[in-house]
Amino acid sequence: MLIAGGTGSGKTYFILTIIEQLLKTDAKLYILDPKNADLADLSVVIPNVYHQKDDMINCIESFYYRMLERN
């Protein structure tokens, strides 16, 4: 997903609102924050939040292989 907008336009608030709603479902979330900005702080509250390069690569590879297994 690409969310564009200027500084202070509410992008992070929008993303956090989506995450909040998904947490109310049975969805399994993986959050990758390469800038180690606002979303990386979610690791205190929910699992599967990554901001280190190696952790993000491992997460993507794991997701890819699980997807192949399902197909």
Side-chain angles (χ1 to χ4, degrees):
M1 167 178 13
L2 174 65
I3 300 173
T7 302
S9 63
K11 297 179 298 293
T12 301
Y13 180 76
F14 175 68
I15 293 171
L16 291 173
T17 302
I18 291 173
I19 292 170
E20 179 184 14
Q21 294 304 310
L22 287 172
L23 288 173
K24 294 178 181 178
T25 69
D26 290 335
K28 189 168 185 180
L29 298 178
Y30 295 87
I31 299 172
L32 284 62
D33 186 4
K35 288 175 58 179
N36 193 18
D38 302 321
L39 298 180
D41 294 337
L42 291 174
S43 63
V44 175
V45 183
I46 60 175
N48 302 320
V49 178
Y50 306 102
H51 59 87
Q52 299 289 333
K53 178 183 174 183
D54 292 336
D55 294 337
M56 289 188 292
I57 290 171
N58 290 335
C59 178
I60 292 169
E61 287 177 349
S62 174
F63 178 80
Y64 174 75
Y65 290 120
R66 286 194 316 266
M67 185 177 63
L68 287 178
E69 289 175 2
R70 285 193 304 264
N71 291 326

